Amino acid sequence: MSDRTVFFISDGTGITAETFGNAILAQFDFKPRRVRLPFVDTPDKAHQAVRQINHTAELEGKKPLVFTTLVDRQAVNILQEGCKGMLMDMFGTFVQPLEQELSIKSHHRVGRFSDVSKSREYHDRIEAINYSLAHDDGQSNRDLTGADVILVGVSRSGKTPTSLYLAMQHGLKAANYPLIPEDFDRRQLPPALVPHKKKLFGLTIAPERLSEIRSERRPGSRYADLQNCRMEVSDAEAMMRRAGIRWLSTTTKSIEEIATTILQEVRPERLSY
Amino acid sequence: MSDRTVFFISDGTGITAETFGNAILAQFDFKPRRVRLPFVDTPDKAHQAVRQINHTAELEGKKPLVFTTLVDRQAVNILQEGCKGMLMDMFGTFVQPLEQELSIKSHHRVGRFSDVSKSREYHDRIEAINYSLAHDDGQSNRDLTGADVILVGVSRSGKTPTSLYLAMQHGLKAANYPLIPEDFDRRQLPPALVPHKKKLFGLTIAPERLSEIRSERRPGSRYADLQNCRMEVSDAEAMMRRAGIRWLSTTTKSIEEIATTILQEVRPERLSY
């Protein structure tokens, strides 16, 4: 742990400030202390932030790093004038040049989430989360016509977290459906999926990794046994190949990376924007 | 729809590039066409991006806006030299001044998700998602001791999407538990929750909004009836007040805003960083 502190300051949730700051910090091999200051939406709170930053600067004898996505220029000015940190001001840096290029003024409005109860997009996102939950792990065949994408793969190949991520971040109705030994015996896709072949996307995984993951849940079981995992994975891949389903391996991929690839491949028409 | 295109270019998933670009674009009242170009991780792909941008510039007769989080300087140089768009380069802008302040060199490494199968943090996040799913809607009382936070509230007050968001984005084991008419009749918290009072956080919602949401699921039902919603909400708030549980109203808040407030209030020790 370094003796340097990083502040993330925002008038809203601070999600953008953290994404921005963390992406930049990831370029450096050091582990600062992190402090989030969300909802800094009055001059009072901006002054309070300045006091906190300057107190830290004194204690540590080093400039704190301050990532801000403050929209309100008055708040930014308070920070600029008073604070002893190194200010990285995302809006100040990019918004003004954009105003010139676009020949329109920015409106300095705070937050992208205001009044969500009236937003169609937000409503659709919540609907998508509910849909994906109801169609997790083949729980329901009903209404698969409504799915934007249906993930298939053996148990623990990453279908559930990926479906939820696609719903939560991209507003996609993402169902998921397990491929199980009975399907391999019949050498056929689960019948419920056949009418929806265009929407299917397969996830596979290295048998060694699968066995590791399954062992955490059911150590010593046939389910987790490496030999069994090898057979299931090879059967599942053969089935996806025969059926002409696009697929990828999740072995070393994060749900974000899996989701991005699926979006590129499936290109569902109804994207969140 | 404007006749101006915005590109988001990244060597990874493009999530940071989009967060960065969309936050800035949200300051302007115009709706550009959006194009994501993730996984731009070779000079070839950078040249391809340049061609695509320049083709668009020609078609539209306007400079495309290009938000990049490219880490690889060679790729950035290809864009800078060749492309006719307005380049907003997040890393180039902030990383160099930081190198000076920190007196360390950035490593220009791509992506924050490399080799997830070996990352403890990623593993904990997936565990948290599984935990939150298994403890959705009071499904299981087992292992509530392991929860970082337990959300309570009437049905459809926003507990499920918020729990999943806390798990997915912050790696928190977030259980959720419904408050139902039987609890109000007994005028007591569900017994399973009593030992975990410190971890409880309440969600409430305006009865009018609740009735709207419930009506989408079960139109004309007693469940969705405004009078019934009024009673449930008032009973739930009274119960939370008596039990000394912190709570907030979700009526006009996004899951991101709700989650941020919960994190500030609960300050669970085990945060994702």
Side-chain angles (χ1 to χ4, degrees):
Chain A
M1 189 62 81
S2 134
D3 49 355
R4 168 101 64 168
T5 299
V6 177
F7 290 89
F8 303 95
I9 305 186
S10 161
D11 359 45
T13 58
I15 293 168
T16 304
E18 284 191 65
T19 307
F20 160 50
N22 282 330
I24 286 168
L25 291 172
Q27 293 305 305
F28 295 92
D29 284 318
F30 91 123
K31 288 212 168 292
R33 198 168 72 91
R34 286 162 150 92
V35 178
R36 318 169 187 206
L37 301 177
F39 305 125
V40 175
D41 49 9
T42 62
D44 256 17
K45 289 188 191 163
H47 282 296
Q48 208 176 306
V50 166
R51 281 193 296 275
Q52 195 174 340
I53 294 165
N54 292 351
H55 181 66
T56 305
E58 224 159 273
L59 277 179
E60 296 178 351
K62 284 182 179 168
K63 269 191 185 180
L65 310 181
V66 183
F67 292 94
T68 96
T69 53
L70 289 168
V71 169
D72 182 60
R73 294 328 287 171
Q74 196 190 350
V76 175
N77 289 340
I78 291 169
L79 253 77
Q80 255 163 356
E81 282 162 23
C83 115
K84 292 177 182 144
M86 177 182 181
L87 204 63
M88 278 155 290
D89 169 15
M90 197 177 90
F91 283 102
T93 307
F94 294 107
V95 167
Q96 216 195 321
L98 252 183
E99 286 184 339
Q100 288 182 354
E101 172 60 31
L102 296 174
S103 310
I104 46 180
K105 276 274 166 205
S106 69
H107 50 54
H108 293 286
R109 214 174 291 146
V110 173
R112 54 191 178 110
F113 297 121
S114 45
D115 228 347
V116 292
S117 66
K118 291 182 189 105
S119 148
R120 184 79 220 164
E121 182 191 321
Y122 186 76
H123 175 271
D124 289 347
R125 244 178 100 200
I126 298 294
E127 275 304 287
I129 295 171
N130 290 331
Y131 182 94
S132 295
L133 268 178
H135 294 80
D136 181 36
D137 205 30
Q139 269 180 69
S140 168
N141 300 337
R142 274 183 46 211
D143 195 22
L144 279 181
T145 315
D148 294 305
V149 58
I150 304 168
L151 304 182
V152 296
V154 301
S155 164
R156 295 289 121 185
S157 54
K159 301 184 300 299
T160 295
T162 305
S163 317
L164 291 173
Y165 185 87
L166 284 168
M168 189 157 312
Q169 297 298 331
H170 298 283
L172 288 195
K173 292 185 172 173
N176 76 75
Y177 216 94
L179 296 180
I180 55 174
E182 285 72 8
D183 304 315
F184 306 139
D185 290 345
R186 289 188 297 106
R187 293 175 55 86
Q188 276 176 354
L189 280 178
L193 300 183
V194 176
H196 308 289
K197 233 161 124 177
K198 276 194 186 157
K199 290 192 252 182
L200 299 186
F201 196 95
L203 302 185
T204 191
I205 183 168
E208 294 72 22
R209 178 81 189 122
L210 182 62
S211 171
E212 255 175 59
I213 295 172
R214 288 182 171 185
S215 292
E216 281 185 35
R217 302 212 126 194
R218 297 198 220 150
S221 65
R222 175 172 157 71
Y223 172 74
D225 175 67
L226 179 57
Q227 204 48 46
N228 177 57
C229 288
R230 280 209 181 106
M231 235 160 61
E232 280 194 35
V233 168
S234 127
D235 283 348
E237 292 183 357
M239 179 173 283
M240 295 193 282
R241 215 174 281 120
R242 271 199 311 274
I245 298 171
R246 292 151 297 182
W247 46 285
L248 64 79
S249 166
T250 65
T251 313
T252 60
K253 288 200 174 65
S254 65
I255 40 181
E256 284 82 354
E257 290 168 312
I258 303 167
T260 302
T261 304
I262 293 172
L263 285 174
Q264 278 192 299
E265 291 284 325
V266 176
R267 294 197 175 282
E269 284 158 34
R270 213 170 55 78
L271 273 180
S272 67
Y273 54 61
Chain B
M1 188 61 78
S2 136
D3 48 356
R4 168 102 62 171
T5 300
V6 176
F7 289 88
F8 304 95
I9 305 185
S10 160
D11 358 45
T13 58
I15 293 168
T16 304
E18 284 191 64
T19 307
F20 159 50
N22 283 329
I24 287 168
L25 291 173
Q27 293 305 305
F28 295 93
D29 285 319
F30 91 121
K31 288 213 167 293
R33 197 168 74 90
R34 287 162 149 92
V35 178
R36 317 171 188 204
L37 301 177
F39 305 125
V40 175
D41 49 9
T42 63
D44 256 18
K45 288 188 192 164
H47 282 297
Q48 208 176 307
V50 167
R51 280 193 297 275
Q52 194 173 342
I53 294 166
N54 292 352
H55 181 67
T56 306
E58 224 161 273
L59 277 180
E60 297 178 348
K62 283 183 180 169
K63 268 192 187 180
L65 310 180
V66 184
F67 292 94
T68 97
T69 53
L70 290 168
V71 170
D72 183 59
R73 294 329 285 171
Q74 196 191 347
V76 176
N77 289 340
I78 291 169
L79 252 77
Q80 254 162 355
E81 284 163 20
C83 114
K84 292 176 181 145
M86 177 181 183
L87 204 62
M88 279 155 290
D89 169 16
M90 198 177 87
F91 283 102
T93 307
F94 293 107
V95 167
Q96 216 196 319
L98 252 183
E99 286 183 338
Q100 287 184 355
E101 171 62 30
L102 297 173
S103 311
I104 46 179
K105 275 272 168 207
S106 69
H107 50 54
H108 292 287
R109 214 174 291 146
V110 173
R112 53 190 180 109
F113 297 121
S114 44
D115 229 348
V116 292
S117 65
K118 293 183 187 104
S119 148
R120 184 81 221 162
E121 183 191 321
Y122 186 75
H123 174 271
D124 289 348
R125 243 178 100 201
I126 298 293
E127 275 305 288
I129 295 172
N130 289 331
Y131 182 94
S132 296
L133 267 179
H135 294 80
D136 181 37
D137 204 30
Q139 269 181 68
S140 166
N141 300 338
R142 276 181 44 209
D143 195 21
L144 279 180
T145 315
D148 294 305
V149 57
I150 303 168
L151 303 182
V152 295
V154 300
S155 164
R156 298 287 121 185
S157 54
K159 301 184 300 298
T160 294
T162 305
S163 316
L164 290 173
Y165 185 86
L166 284 168
M168 186 151 320
Q169 298 297 331
H170 298 283
L172 288 194
K173 292 185 173 174
N176 75 75
Y177 217 95
L179 296 180
I180 56 175
E182 285 73 6
D183 303 316
F184 305 139
D185 291 345
R186 287 188 299 107
R187 293 176 55 86
Q188 276 176 356
L189 280 179
L193 299 183
V194 176
H196 308 289
K197 231 160 126 178
K198 274 191 188 161
K199 290 192 253 183
L200 299 185
F201 196 96
L203 302 185
T204 191
I205 183 168
E208 294 71 22
R209 177 81 188 121
L210 182 62
S211 170
E212 254 174 59
I213 295 171
R214 288 181 171 186
S215 292
E216 282 186 35
R217 302 212 124 193
R218 297 199 220 150
S221 65
R222 176 172 156 72
Y223 172 74
D225 175 67
L226 178 58
Q227 204 48 43
N228 176 58
C229 289
R230 280 210 180 102
M231 234 160 60
E232 281 193 35
V233 167
S234 127
D235 282 349
E237 292 183 356
M239 179 173 284
M240 296 192 282
R241 212 174 281 118
R242 273 199 310 275
I245 298 172
R246 292 150 297 179
W247 47 282
L248 64 79
S249 166
T250 65
T251 313
T252 60
K253 287 200 174 64
S254 65
I255 42 181
E256 284 82 355
E257 290 168 311
I258 303 167
T260 302
T261 304
I262 293 172
L263 284 173
Q264 279 193 300
E265 290 284 325
V266 175
R267 294 197 176 281
E269 284 158 35
R270 216 170 55 78
L271 272 182
S272 65
Y273 55 63

PDB file of all heavy atoms in Angstrom, chain B residues 210-235:
ATOM      1  N   LEU B 210     -45.009   2.114  -7.241  1.00  0.00           N
ATOM      2  CA  LEU B 210     -45.072   0.677  -6.972  1.00  0.00           C
ATOM      3  C   LEU B 210     -46.273   0.060  -7.679  1.00  0.00           C
ATOM      4  O   LEU B 210     -46.171  -0.997  -8.324  1.00  0.00           O
ATOM      5  CB  LEU B 210     -45.161   0.426  -5.465  1.00  0.00           C
ATOM      6  CG  LEU B 210     -45.179  -1.037  -5.018  1.00  0.00           C
ATOM      7  CD1 LEU B 210     -43.893  -1.752  -5.406  1.00  0.00           C
ATOM      8  CD2 LEU B 210     -45.393  -1.145  -3.497  1.00  0.00           C
ATOM      9  N   SER B 211     -47.399   0.739  -7.576  1.00  0.00           N
ATOM     10  CA  SER B 211     -48.623   0.235  -8.197  1.00  0.00           C
ATOM     11  C   SER B 211     -48.460   0.159  -9.719  1.00  0.00           C
ATOM     12  O   SER B 211     -48.868  -0.812 -10.360  1.00  0.00           O
ATOM     13  CB  SER B 211     -49.787   1.148  -7.811  1.00  0.00           C
ATOM     14  OG  SER B 211     -50.922   0.838  -8.554  1.00  0.00           O
ATOM     15  N   GLU B 212     -47.803   1.165 -10.291  1.00  0.00           N
ATOM     16  CA  GLU B 212     -47.502   1.146 -11.731  1.00  0.00           C
ATOM     17  C   GLU B 212     -46.674  -0.080 -12.118  1.00  0.00           C
ATOM     18  O   GLU B 212     -46.990  -0.789 -13.070  1.00  0.00           O
ATOM     19  CB  GLU B 212     -46.634   2.370 -12.072  1.00  0.00           C
ATOM     20  CG  GLU B 212     -47.303   3.505 -12.817  1.00  0.00           C
ATOM     21  CD  GLU B 212     -46.318   4.672 -12.935  1.00  0.00           C
ATOM     22  OE1 GLU B 212     -45.214   4.513 -13.523  1.00  0.00           O
ATOM     23  OE2 GLU B 212     -46.663   5.756 -12.408  1.00  0.00           O
ATOM     24  N   ILE B 213     -45.599  -0.296 -11.345  1.00  0.00           N
ATOM     25  CA  ILE B 213     -44.682  -1.392 -11.658  1.00  0.00           C
ATOM     26  C   ILE B 213     -45.387  -2.742 -11.503  1.00  0.00           C
ATOM     27  O   ILE B 213     -45.283  -3.623 -12.354  1.00  0.00           O
ATOM     28  CB  ILE B 213     -43.435  -1.347 -10.736  1.00  0.00           C
ATOM     29  CG1 ILE B 213     -42.623  -0.082 -11.007  1.00  0.00           C
ATOM     30  CG2 ILE B 213     -42.569  -2.584 -10.916  1.00  0.00           C
ATOM     31  CD1 ILE B 213     -41.491   0.156 -10.010  1.00  0.00           C
ATOM     32  N   ARG B 214     -46.139  -2.893 -10.407  1.00  0.00           N
ATOM     33  CA  ARG B 214     -46.828  -4.162 -10.178  1.00  0.00           C
ATOM     34  C   ARG B 214     -47.930  -4.395 -11.215  1.00  0.00           C
ATOM     35  O   ARG B 214     -48.205  -5.534 -11.572  1.00  0.00           O
ATOM     36  CB  ARG B 214     -47.421  -4.187  -8.767  1.00  0.00           C
ATOM     37  CG  ARG B 214     -46.355  -4.335  -7.675  1.00  0.00           C
ATOM     38  CD  ARG B 214     -46.999  -4.391  -6.299  1.00  0.00           C
ATOM     39  NE  ARG B 214     -46.045  -4.746  -5.259  1.00  0.00           N
ATOM     40  CZ  ARG B 214     -46.385  -4.976  -3.991  1.00  0.00           C
ATOM     41  NH1 ARG B 214     -47.668  -4.884  -3.620  1.00  0.00           N
ATOM     42  NH2 ARG B 214     -45.460  -5.297  -3.098  1.00  0.00           N
ATOM     43  N   SER B 215     -48.528  -3.311 -11.690  1.00  0.00           N
ATOM     44  CA  SER B 215     -49.604  -3.446 -12.677  1.00  0.00           C
ATOM     45  C   SER B 215     -49.093  -4.028 -13.994  1.00  0.00           C
ATOM     46  O   SER B 215     -49.822  -4.701 -14.715  1.00  0.00           O
ATOM     47  CB  SER B 215     -50.270  -2.101 -12.942  1.00  0.00           C
ATOM     48  OG  SER B 215     -50.968  -1.685 -11.797  1.00  0.00           O
ATOM     49  N   GLU B 216     -47.810  -3.748 -14.305  1.00  0.00           N
ATOM     50  CA  GLU B 216     -47.253  -4.324 -15.531  1.00  0.00           C
ATOM     51  C   GLU B 216     -47.205  -5.840 -15.450  1.00  0.00           C
ATOM     52  O   GLU B 216     -47.334  -6.529 -16.452  1.00  0.00           O
ATOM     53  CB  GLU B 216     -45.837  -3.794 -15.760  1.00  0.00           C
ATOM     54  CG  GLU B 216     -45.835  -2.404 -16.324  1.00  0.00           C
ATOM     55  CD  GLU B 216     -44.422  -1.961 -16.671  1.00  0.00           C
ATOM     56  OE1 GLU B 216     -43.606  -2.796 -17.099  1.00  0.00           O
ATOM     57  OE2 GLU B 216     -44.141  -0.763 -16.493  1.00  0.00           O
ATOM     58  N   ARG B 217     -46.959  -6.343 -14.236  1.00  0.00           N
ATOM     59  CA  ARG B 217     -46.862  -7.789 -14.062  1.00  0.00           C
ATOM     60  C   ARG B 217     -48.224  -8.433 -13.899  1.00  0.00           C
ATOM     61  O   ARG B 217     -48.526  -9.459 -14.450  1.00  0.00           O
ATOM     62  CB  ARG B 217     -46.075  -8.112 -12.785  1.00  0.00           C
ATOM     63  CG  ARG B 217     -44.697  -7.557 -12.753  1.00  0.00           C
ATOM     64  CD  ARG B 217     -43.830  -8.501 -11.981  1.00  0.00           C
ATOM     65  NE  ARG B 217     -42.693  -8.918 -12.764  1.00  0.00           N
ATOM     66  CZ  ARG B 217     -41.906  -9.922 -12.431  1.00  0.00           C
ATOM     67  NH1 ARG B 217     -42.175 -10.646 -11.351  1.00  0.00           N
ATOM     68  NH2 ARG B 217     -40.870 -10.225 -13.167  1.00  0.00           N
ATOM     69  N   ARG B 218     -49.062  -7.838 -13.014  1.00  0.00           N
ATOM     70  CA  ARG B 218     -50.366  -8.430 -12.734  1.00  0.00           C
ATOM     71  C   ARG B 218     -51.427  -7.351 -12.722  1.00  0.00           C
ATOM     72  O   ARG B 218     -51.868  -6.893 -11.654  1.00  0.00           O
ATOM     73  CB  ARG B 218     -50.352  -9.110 -11.351  1.00  0.00           C
ATOM     74  CG  ARG B 218     -49.380 -10.264 -11.283  1.00  0.00           C
ATOM     75  CD  ARG B 218     -49.725 -11.179 -10.120  1.00  0.00           C
ATOM     76  NE  ARG B 218     -48.530 -11.635  -9.455  1.00  0.00           N
ATOM     77  CZ  ARG B 218     -48.443 -11.939  -8.166  1.00  0.00           C
ATOM     78  NH1 ARG B 218     -49.528 -11.821  -7.385  1.00  0.00           N
ATOM     79  NH2 ARG B 218     -47.316 -12.359  -7.642  1.00  0.00           N
ATOM     80  N   PRO B 219     -51.827  -6.931 -13.920  1.00  0.00           N
ATOM     81  CA  PRO B 219     -52.806  -5.840 -14.021  1.00  0.00           C
ATOM     82  C   PRO B 219     -54.107  -6.204 -13.319  1.00  0.00           C
ATOM     83  O   PRO B 219     -54.558  -7.362 -13.386  1.00  0.00           O
ATOM     84  CB  PRO B 219     -53.010  -5.682 -15.536  1.00  0.00           C
ATOM     85  CG  PRO B 219     -52.366  -6.863 -16.183  1.00  0.00           C
ATOM     86  CD  PRO B 219     -51.417  -7.454 -15.226  1.00  0.00           C
ATOM     87  N   GLY B 220     -54.689  -5.228 -12.646  1.00  0.00           N
ATOM     88  CA  GLY B 220     -55.995  -5.443 -12.012  1.00  0.00           C
ATOM     89  C   GLY B 220     -55.978  -6.282 -10.746  1.00  0.00           C
ATOM     90  O   GLY B 220     -57.031  -6.546 -10.172  1.00  0.00           O
ATOM     91  N   SER B 221     -54.807  -6.711 -10.293  1.00  0.00           N
ATOM     92  CA  SER B 221     -54.739  -7.575  -9.110  1.00  0.00           C
ATOM     93  C   SER B 221     -54.768  -6.759  -7.819  1.00  0.00           C
ATOM     94  O   SER B 221     -54.493  -5.551  -7.832  1.00  0.00           O
ATOM     95  CB  SER B 221     -53.452  -8.385  -9.143  1.00  0.00           C
ATOM     96  OG  SER B 221     -52.335  -7.508  -9.022  1.00  0.00           O
ATOM     97  N   ARG B 222     -55.084  -7.433  -6.727  1.00  0.00           N
ATOM     98  CA  ARG B 222     -54.989  -6.800  -5.424  1.00  0.00           C
ATOM     99  C   ARG B 222     -53.542  -6.379  -5.153  1.00  0.00           C
ATOM    100  O   ARG B 222     -53.278  -5.324  -4.589  1.00  0.00           O
ATOM    101  CB  ARG B 222     -55.469  -7.795  -4.353  1.00  0.00           C
ATOM    102  CG  ARG B 222     -55.312  -7.260  -2.940  1.00  0.00           C
ATOM    103  CD  ARG B 222     -55.961  -8.143  -1.882  1.00  0.00           C
ATOM    104  NE  ARG B 222     -55.317  -7.916  -0.592  1.00  0.00           N
ATOM    105  CZ  ARG B 222     -55.474  -6.815   0.136  1.00  0.00           C
ATOM    106  NH1 ARG B 222     -56.294  -5.870  -0.283  1.00  0.00           N
ATOM    107  NH2 ARG B 222     -54.822  -6.661   1.278  1.00  0.00           N
ATOM    108  N   TYR B 223     -52.616  -7.263  -5.581  1.00  0.00           N
ATOM    109  CA  TYR B 223     -51.170  -7.019  -5.458  1.00  0.00           C
ATOM    110  C   TYR B 223     -50.772  -5.649  -6.012  1.00  0.00           C
ATOM    111  O   TYR B 223     -49.947  -4.929  -5.441  1.00  0.00           O
ATOM    112  CB  TYR B 223     -50.476  -8.147  -6.217  1.00  0.00           C
ATOM    113  CG  TYR B 223     -48.983  -8.072  -6.421  1.00  0.00           C
ATOM    114  CD1 TYR B 223     -48.102  -8.311  -5.372  1.00  0.00           C
ATOM    115  CD2 TYR B 223     -48.440  -7.808  -7.681  1.00  0.00           C
ATOM    116  CE1 TYR B 223     -46.729  -8.294  -5.578  1.00  0.00           C
ATOM    117  CE2 TYR B 223     -47.076  -7.798  -7.899  1.00  0.00           C
ATOM    118  CZ  TYR B 223     -46.219  -8.032  -6.844  1.00  0.00           C
ATOM    119  OH  TYR B 223     -44.863  -8.014  -7.049  1.00  0.00           O
ATOM    120  N   ALA B 224     -51.395  -5.271  -7.131  1.00  0.00           N
ATOM    121  CA  ALA B 224     -51.024  -4.030  -7.805  1.00  0.00           C
ATOM    122  C   ALA B 224     -51.904  -2.848  -7.398  1.00  0.00           C
ATOM    123  O   ALA B 224     -51.595  -1.690  -7.712  1.00  0.00           O
ATOM    124  CB  ALA B 224     -51.103  -4.216  -9.320  1.00  0.00           C
ATOM    125  N   ASP B 225     -52.954  -3.125  -6.682  1.00  0.00           N
ATOM    126  CA  ASP B 225     -53.923  -2.093  -6.304  1.00  0.00           C
ATOM    127  C   ASP B 225     -53.270  -0.962  -5.494  1.00  0.00           C
ATOM    128  O   ASP B 225     -52.518  -1.214  -4.541  1.00  0.00           O
ATOM    129  CB  ASP B 225     -55.033  -2.756  -5.473  1.00  0.00           C
ATOM    130  CG  ASP B 225     -56.007  -1.731  -4.946  1.00  0.00           C
ATOM    131  OD1 ASP B 225     -56.727  -1.133  -5.756  1.00  0.00           O
ATOM    132  OD2 ASP B 225     -56.002  -1.505  -3.706  1.00  0.00           O
ATOM    133  N   LEU B 226     -53.572   0.277  -5.867  1.00  0.00           N
ATOM    134  CA  LEU B 226     -52.900   1.413  -5.233  1.00  0.00           C
ATOM    135  C   LEU B 226     -53.131   1.432  -3.724  1.00  0.00           C
ATOM    136  O   LEU B 226     -52.209   1.676  -2.938  1.00  0.00           O
ATOM    137  CB  LEU B 226     -53.363   2.732  -5.870  1.00  0.00           C
ATOM    138  CG  LEU B 226     -52.753   3.998  -5.248  1.00  0.00           C
ATOM    139  CD1 LEU B 226     -51.226   3.978  -5.326  1.00  0.00           C
ATOM    140  CD2 LEU B 226     -53.276   5.256  -5.964  1.00  0.00           C
ATOM    141  N   GLN B 227     -54.377   1.151  -3.317  1.00  0.00           N
ATOM    142  CA  GLN B 227     -54.689   1.179  -1.890  1.00  0.00           C
ATOM    143  C   GLN B 227     -53.843   0.150  -1.138  1.00  0.00           C
ATOM    144  O   GLN B 227     -53.270   0.440  -0.084  1.00  0.00           O
ATOM    145  CB  GLN B 227     -56.199   0.883  -1.704  1.00  0.00           C
ATOM    146  CG  GLN B 227     -56.760   1.432  -0.420  1.00  0.00           C
ATOM    147  CD  GLN B 227     -56.364   2.877  -0.200  1.00  0.00           C
ATOM    148  OE1 GLN B 227     -56.391   3.702  -1.116  1.00  0.00           O
ATOM    149  NE2 GLN B 227     -55.913   3.204   1.006  1.00  0.00           N
ATOM    150  N   ASN B 228     -53.725  -1.031  -1.729  1.00  0.00           N
ATOM    151  CA  ASN B 228     -52.912  -2.086  -1.113  1.00  0.00           C
ATOM    152  C   ASN B 228     -51.430  -1.703  -1.091  1.00  0.00           C
ATOM    153  O   ASN B 228     -50.726  -1.915  -0.091  1.00  0.00           O
ATOM    154  CB  ASN B 228     -53.108  -3.401  -1.880  1.00  0.00           C
ATOM    155  CG  ASN B 228     -52.219  -4.493  -1.328  1.00  0.00           C
ATOM    156  OD1 ASN B 228     -52.305  -4.823  -0.131  1.00  0.00           O
ATOM    157  ND2 ASN B 228     -51.362  -5.052  -2.157  1.00  0.00           N
ATOM    158  N   CYS B 229     -50.951  -1.111  -2.167  1.00  0.00           N
ATOM    159  CA  CYS B 229     -49.549  -0.672  -2.212  1.00  0.00           C
ATOM    160  C   CYS B 229     -49.291   0.363  -1.123  1.00  0.00           C
ATOM    161  O   CYS B 229     -48.258   0.341  -0.446  1.00  0.00           O
ATOM    162  CB  CYS B 229     -49.211  -0.096  -3.581  1.00  0.00           C
ATOM    163  SG  CYS B 229     -49.125  -1.349  -4.873  1.00  0.00           S
ATOM    164  N   ARG B 230     -50.247   1.290  -0.953  1.00  0.00           N
ATOM    165  CA  ARG B 230     -50.111   2.312   0.105  1.00  0.00           C
ATOM    166  C   ARG B 230     -49.934   1.651   1.455  1.00  0.00           C
ATOM    167  O   ARG B 230     -49.083   2.052   2.250  1.00  0.00           O
ATOM    168  CB  ARG B 230     -51.360   3.189   0.146  1.00  0.00           C
ATOM    169  CG  ARG B 230     -51.370   4.244  -0.923  1.00  0.00           C
ATOM    170  CD  ARG B 230     -52.131   5.509  -0.476  1.00  0.00           C
ATOM    171  NE  ARG B 230     -52.083   6.465  -1.570  1.00  0.00           N
ATOM    172  CZ  ARG B 230     -53.109   6.699  -2.412  1.00  0.00           C
ATOM    173  NH1 ARG B 230     -54.278   6.092  -2.241  1.00  0.00           N
ATOM    174  NH2 ARG B 230     -52.961   7.557  -3.402  1.00  0.00           N
ATOM    175  N   MET B 231     -50.747   0.625   1.712  1.00  0.00           N
ATOM    176  CA  MET B 231     -50.691  -0.023   3.017  1.00  0.00           C
ATOM    177  C   MET B 231     -49.372  -0.758   3.215  1.00  0.00           C
ATOM    178  O   MET B 231     -48.727  -0.612   4.240  1.00  0.00           O
ATOM    179  CB  MET B 231     -51.865  -0.988   3.181  1.00  0.00           C
ATOM    180  CG  MET B 231     -52.637  -0.670   4.440  1.00  0.00           C
ATOM    181  SD  MET B 231     -54.286  -1.356   4.349  1.00  0.00           S
ATOM    182  CE  MET B 231     -53.948  -3.094   4.171  1.00  0.00           C
ATOM    183  N   GLU B 232     -48.988  -1.524   2.205  1.00  0.00           N
ATOM    184  CA  GLU B 232     -47.741  -2.283   2.335  1.00  0.00           C
ATOM    185  C   GLU B 232     -46.544  -1.358   2.571  1.00  0.00           C
ATOM    186  O   GLU B 232     -45.697  -1.612   3.422  1.00  0.00           O
ATOM    187  CB  GLU B 232     -47.483  -3.126   1.078  1.00  0.00           C
ATOM    188  CG  GLU B 232     -48.284  -4.414   1.023  1.00  0.00           C
ATOM    189  CD  GLU B 232     -47.773  -5.353  -0.066  1.00  0.00           C
ATOM    190  OE1 GLU B 232     -46.542  -5.397  -0.307  1.00  0.00           O
ATOM    191  OE2 GLU B 232     -48.609  -6.028  -0.693  1.00  0.00           O
ATOM    192  N   VAL B 233     -46.488  -0.271   1.785  1.00  0.00           N
ATOM    193  CA  VAL B 233     -45.351   0.643   1.912  1.00  0.00           C
ATOM    194  C   VAL B 233     -45.347   1.291   3.288  1.00  0.00           C
ATOM    195  O   VAL B 233     -44.302   1.394   3.950  1.00  0.00           O
ATOM    196  CB  VAL B 233     -45.381   1.723   0.798  1.00  0.00           C
ATOM    197  CG1 VAL B 233     -44.401   2.846   1.101  1.00  0.00           C
ATOM    198  CG2 VAL B 233     -45.085   1.094  -0.553  1.00  0.00           C
ATOM    199  N   SER B 234     -46.526   1.693   3.738  1.00  0.00           N
ATOM    200  CA  SER B 234     -46.563   2.368   5.039  1.00  0.00           C
ATOM    201  C   SER B 234     -46.213   1.384   6.161  1.00  0.00           C
ATOM    202  O   SER B 234     -45.471   1.717   7.094  1.00  0.00           O
ATOM    203  CB  SER B 234     -47.925   3.055   5.213  1.00  0.00           C
ATOM    204  OG  SER B 234     -48.533   2.671   6.404  1.00  0.00           O
ATOM    205  N   ASP B 235     -46.690   0.138   6.038  1.00  0.00           N
ATOM    206  CA  ASP B 235     -46.325  -0.887   7.027  1.00  0.00           C
ATOM    207  C   ASP B 235     -44.820  -1.173   7.009  1.00  0.00           C
ATOM    208  O   ASP B 235     -44.188  -1.306   8.053  1.00  0.00           O
ATOM    209  CB  ASP B 235     -47.073  -2.202   6.735  1.00  0.00           C
ATOM    210  CG  ASP B 235     -48.524  -2.155   7.199  1.00  0.00           C
ATOM    211  OD1 ASP B 235     -48.885  -1.197   7.925  1.00  0.00           O
ATOM    212  OD2 ASP B 235     -49.303  -3.053   6.826  1.00  0.00           O
TER     213      ASP B 235
END
